[in-house]
Amino acid sequence: MIVELTALWLPILFSAIAVFIASSLLWTVVPWHNSDWQKLPNEEAARQALSGTPPGDYNLPHAADGKARRSADWQAKYREGPAAMLTVLPHGSMAMGKQFVQWILYCLVISLVVAYVAAATLDAGTDYLKVFQVTGTTAWLAYAGAAAPGSIWFGHGWGRTFKDTVDGLVYALLTAGIFGWLWP
């Protein structure tokens, strides 16, 4: 018997909330992400140099296109270093309300996609472990699948990528458990 997506609103909601809570605990209670970023050798000079830079993503040396990257000047700057990718955040309040809202919405979207895949592949009354397998795999791909490209293309440390992948596995296991438990 086919499962309608509307029949999965409870596991969608509960799994998103569970992931939100788990991620909050992983980032605030468990200190293992503290080493993901390091202090610049001369932080105060860097702060002064970046003062007035509007929020956004930057790279240095900067090249607008492939032609600029092929120039001898740009290649010399890149070899000489430093080469960096930098995100400048808005300054001011450390209030994270906007990020929390965006994160819970993202968790809901992932849970909705997990529900869609499960409803398209599993019948009502499917065994818990089969529901767990399908929803857990889908959720893990959604939460952790984009971690490795950060290391491959943007120089993020592999330790950070490993931790993000493990975080994604925790979120996937919670999602899978809730979907298995509440599967119609």
Side-chain angles (χ1 to χ4, degrees):
M1 183 164 106
I2 293 183
V3 175
E4 296 292 328
L5 202 53
T6 55
L8 299 174
W9 70 271
L10 246 140
I12 291 168
L13 183 62
F14 284 5
S15 62
I17 292 169
V19 168
F20 182 86
I21 292 168
S23 68
S24 298
L25 293 173
L26 281 172
W27 280 86
T28 59
V29 176
V30 180
W32 82 326
H33 281 287
N34 290 351
S35 63
D36 290 351
W37 293 271
Q38 298 173 15
K39 183 177 180 175
L40 286 169
N42 192 343
E43 181 177 320
E44 204 49 43
R47 288 183 69 244
Q48 292 303 315
L50 293 169
S51 179
T53 303
D57 295 318
Y58 301 91
N59 65 336
L60 68 105
H62 179 71
D65 55 31
K67 181 179 178 185
R69 278 187 292 281
R70 288 187 296 274
S71 76
D73 182 50
W74 185 88
Q75 290 183 13
K77 287 178 184 178
Y78 193 86
R79 275 192 305 277
E80 179 183 302
M85 293 184 187
L86 172 74
T87 299
V88 176
L89 303 173
H91 67 278
S93 171
M94 292 277 302
M96 298 190 65
K98 177 181 175 185
Q99 289 90 338
F100 284 146
V101 169
Q102 290 174 342
W103 178 241
I104 193 66
L105 290 174
Y106 182 71
C107 293
L108 284 165
V109 167
I110 287 178
S111 291
L112 183 64
V113 170
V114 168
Y116 171 78
V117 170
T121 58
L122 303 171
D123 290 328
T126 298
D127 178 64
Y128 174 90
L129 287 178
K130 187 65 177 175
V131 174
F132 189 95
Q133 177 188 23
V134 170
T135 59
T137 302
T138 306
W140 195 26
L141 286 171
Y143 282 115
S151 290
I152 293 167
W153 295 107
F154 303 110
H156 297 168
W158 282 102
R160 174 179 167 184
T161 295
F162 174 77
K163 290 182 266 186
D164 288 343
T165 302
V166 172
D167 288 354
L169 180 59
V170 170
Y171 308 155
L173 293 172
L174 286 168
T175 300
I178 290 170
F179 270 88
W181 168 48
L182 296 172
W183 191 253

